[in-house]
Amino acid sequence: MVDAVNDPAQSAEKLQPWQEERGRAPISVKIVVAGGFGVGKTTFVGSVSEIEPLTTEAVMTQASEGTDDITATPEKTTTTVAMDFGRVTLDADLVLYLFGTPGQRRFWFMWDDLARGAIGAVVMADTRRLEDCFPALDYFESCALPYVVAVNHFEGTEYYEAEDVREALSVPERVPVVIMDARKRDTVVDSLTALVGHALDLTPA
């Protein structure tokens, strides 16, 4: 079942400059948002999307028992079974299309298709269970796709500096690590800006 996130503030789409001028073609890029189960990928996409985001949230059933660890997120009752999709205009002529991956191991077979054509990825991390983002880190390292690590700071959890998280995850110095809150649009934009800048730095002149 496909459910769209219903947000009255997003129900009426605000036209962007590139939509109002005939013949003005924006630069469009694809970005993947990945990470472990329940790390906040759907929230990340939804908080920044200027269109009503598409989500593929399904109610968790007994089939997920013993597979999906909800210890850190006991209130979670749904899970992404295909992808999340949103769009954000980062600059006047730069449009990002966001594709959120499902976090569970049984859906990893979709990652190749979702990552195809992307300029980079945001790997989200939860400091309560950092090990959950290792598969995503390994995946993007192996396919040489630029990525940044976005530490989603959950309310009520201990705060860690970016460099502490880098050390814990053994993330190379060349990879940006940012602390953010997936519920806050400005910090999500900062994460995306960091990724775009990082991808441009790695693009051959």
Side-chain angles (χ1 to χ4, degrees):
M1 174 182 285
V2 176
D3 294 323
V5 174
N6 293 316
D7 183 351
Q10 295 176 329
S11 58
E13 179 187 347
K14 177 183 176 182
L15 291 180
Q16 301 297 322
W18 55 268
Q19 294 175 303
E20 296 177 321
E21 297 182 22
R22 186 184 299 273
R24 183 174 180 177
I27 298 173
S28 301
V29 297
K30 178 181 181 180
I31 287 176
V32 176
V33 182
F37 170 74
V39 76
K41 298 180 295 295
T42 299
T43 302
F44 182 102
V45 174
S47 67
V48 78
S49 181
E50 62 200 20
I51 61 173
E52 187 169 342
L54 170 69
T55 67
T56 52
E57 291 277 291
V59 176
M60 296 174 63
T61 65
Q62 290 183 341
S64 66
E65 290 185 5
T67 302
D68 299 328
D69 183 5
I70 61 172
T71 304
T73 55
E75 72 286 351
K76 187 172 178 61
T77 59
T78 62
T79 183
T80 299
V81 295
M83 70 172 186
D84 300 314
F85 173 77
R87 186 193 76 200
V88 57
T89 301
L90 197 60
D91 199 0
D93 293 307
L94 178 59
V95 182
L96 310 183
Y97 290 94
L98 310 180
F99 291 78
T101 67
Q104 304 94 314
R105 180 184 296 272
R106 62 184 182 277
F107 297 125
W108 288 355
F109 67 91
M110 301 179 185
W111 286 19
D112 286 344
D113 288 333
L114 291 176
R116 187 172 294 115
I119 66 160
V122 175
V123 177
M124 297 185 64
D126 179 351
T127 56
R128 297 170 296 180
R129 44 202 175 95
L130 286 176
E131 66 279 1
D132 288 359
C133 68
F134 283 140
L137 294 175
D138 291 342
Y139 177 83
F140 295 119
E141 281 285 351
S142 67
C143 63
L145 189 69
Y147 68 91
V148 300
V149 175
V151 182
N152 191 15
H153 181 57
F154 286 83
E155 188 174 348
T157 61
E158 186 175 354
Y159 182 88
Y160 293 92
E161 296 293 339
E163 289 309 307
D164 294 331
V165 177
R166 179 191 303 281
E167 182 177 354
L169 293 175
S170 298
V171 173
E173 285 293 332
R174 58 180 167 78
V175 176
V177 177
V178 297
I179 308 296
M180 47 79 67
D181 184 334
R183 301 167 300 177
K184 298 180 179 179
R185 188 180 191 278
D186 57 339
T187 67
V188 173
V189 169
D190 288 344
S191 302
L192 294 171
T193 302
L195 173 61
V196 171
H198 180 52
L200 286 174
D201 288 342
L202 298 179
T203 301

